[in-house]
Amino acid sequence: MIGKAFKRAQAEGEIVTKGFDDYEVRLGDVMRGERATMGKSLLDVQRELKIKAAYIAAIENADPSAFDTPGFIAGYVRSYARYLNMNPDEAFAAFCAESGFTTSHGMSSEASPRKPKGYDPSTAPLGKDIFKSSATPFIPANEAVFSGIEPRAIGSSLVLLALIGGLGYGGWTVLQEVQKVQFAPVDQTPAVVSELDPLAGATNAIAPQDALADLQTPSFEALDRLYRPQALDVPVLVARDAPISTLSPSNIGALAPTLSEPEAPVLAQIEQTAPEVLTPQVVEPPIPEVQLVAVRPAWVRVQSADGTIIFEGVMEPGQNFVVPTTEEPARLRVGESGAMYFAVNGQHYGPVGQPGVVTSNVDLSAVSLTETYQIADLDADNDLAQIVNVAEVTTDP
């Protein structure tokens, strides 16, 4: 046991730490880093450089097979390098070194946009167009064909179709029922005409044993009267004002006199000879006219019952004012009561009051004036007598 040799485990290999420079930095990594620093996506670069995003991704992946025309690869790489603030020549040299792309003159077959037979774009690392590939991280996957169909919408559609079909069938059934013609049985059995000889009709004779032997046809006059009523032979004219024109005040109404049977013929004779005798006449006595007569200057205001001023002003000597006839009598206010008189139907009354006194609320109705005031004394007021005499001289023919 003691002499048994102790063997030490083989020492593990030393781990060598790699630095940043030990990793290979490819052109695509640098370009993607610069683009990420600028905060640009492939679609942003496509919009600003007017280069397809598929071409930009092919440049970053060093895949020249994604380009339709190899002759444009150099220009696309240099333009994209300038956009990222990189050296365009160094970027194109790195792209050629990584992808194995070599430039060729325009007459060579490599510069032709035609692809060799058996070329499949899907075999390229990203395909011909990266936006047609579902593996791209910035394009969502295509939805399924039936993903946008809602099951509940299918049920609603079926219900709607069933409703439309039911309405259509109901309308068609009603139309069929309307078009049917039904015959209702009658109680009277139609008469059966016996067979007649075609030549027998020429004689207009009916055999006695025939079912139509007892038939009596109407005459021509009856048929003519049927289609032309008698009322059309002589037209009947009715006056439009007949109900009014036939009324007689002497026979009906409140004005009809109450006469006995023997007096009725006498009344009719009087109505024919002198109709104006029986015509009632309503005569109303004239309404007394009220005038204001001023014998000396006086301030006057005539006011209606509702407060409206009819006349207001200074009346000069000899001036008259006719008081209008209203439903309610007007009121008078005068500043010089001794200079104002009233004339009722030509008769003078007054004066209104004592000289130098203001009188108010004088009722200008004819009844009130004749009851309140006395007939004016012409000898007591020379001015009134002079005005009355002048009025009589002017009115005397």
Side-chain angles (χ1 to χ4, degrees), residues 192-357:
V192 179
V193 181
S194 61
E195 295 182 1
L196 301 177
D197 187 4
L199 299 179
T203 60
N204 293 330
I206 301 177
Q209 66 275 12
D210 195 352
L212 299 178
D214 298 335
L215 181 62
Q216 295 181 0
T217 58
S219 61
F220 177 76
E221 291 78 6
L223 292 176
D224 183 66
R225 180 59 60 195
L226 177 63
Y227 293 101
R228 186 175 58 84
Q230 186 179 3
L232 298 179
D233 294 342
V234 179
V236 180
L237 302 179
V238 180
R240 298 177 61 182
D241 58 346
I244 300 177
S245 61
T246 54
L247 299 178
S248 177
S250 60
N251 297 332
I252 61 174
L255 301 179
T258 305
L259 301 178
S260 59
E261 293 295 335
E263 295 177 352
V266 178
L267 178 62
Q269 184 178 3
I270 295 176
E271 182 179 2
Q272 294 178 359
T273 56
E276 65 277 359
V277 177
L278 300 178
T279 304
Q281 296 182 358
V282 180
V283 179
E284 184 179 359
I287 300 176
E289 182 181 4
V290 179
Q291 296 184 4
L292 300 180
V293 180
V295 297
R296 286 176 292 276
W299 176 85
V300 177
R301 181 173 67 190
V302 179
Q303 190 174 5
S304 62
D306 58 355
T308 303
I309 297 177
I310 301 176
F311 174 78
E312 183 177 8
V314 177
M315 296 182 61
E316 299 297 333
Q319 185 178 359
N320 298 339
F321 175 74
V322 178
V323 180
T325 303
T326 56
E327 184 177 358
E328 296 292 336
R331 297 285 180 175
L332 172 66
R333 179 181 176 87
V334 58
E336 176 60 36
S337 301
M340 188 61 59
Y341 289 84
F342 305 105
V344 181
N345 290 332
Q347 184 66 37
H348 291 78
Y349 293 85
V352 177
Q354 298 296 328
V357 178

Side-chain angles (χ1 to χ4, degrees), residues 15 24 34 47 64 83 85 105 157 159 165 172 210 212 220 222 242 252 254 262 285 299 302 319 333 342 356:
I15 299 175
E24 182 182 2
E34 295 294 335
R47 184 172 55 255
Y83 177 78
N85 298 322
H105 58 84
S157 302
V159 172
W172 179 80
D210 195 352
L212 299 178
F220 177 76
I252 61 174
W299 176 85
V302 179
Q319 185 178 359
R333 179 181 176 87
F342 305 105

Side-chain angles (χ1 to χ4, degrees), residues 43-59:
L43 297 179
D44 295 336
V45 177
Q46 173 181 312
R47 184 172 55 255
E48 296 178 5
L49 288 183
K50 301 299 185 290
I51 300 175
K52 290 183 179 181
Y55 295 164
I56 300 298
I59 294 173

Side-chain angles (χ1 to χ4, degrees), residues 116-142:
K117 293 182 180 182
Y119 173 76
D120 187 6
S122 61
T123 59
L126 294 178
K128 186 176 180 180
D129 192 353
I130 62 173
F131 293 100
K132 295 181 181 180
S133 176
S134 60
T136 53
F138 45 83
I139 296 297
N142 295 332

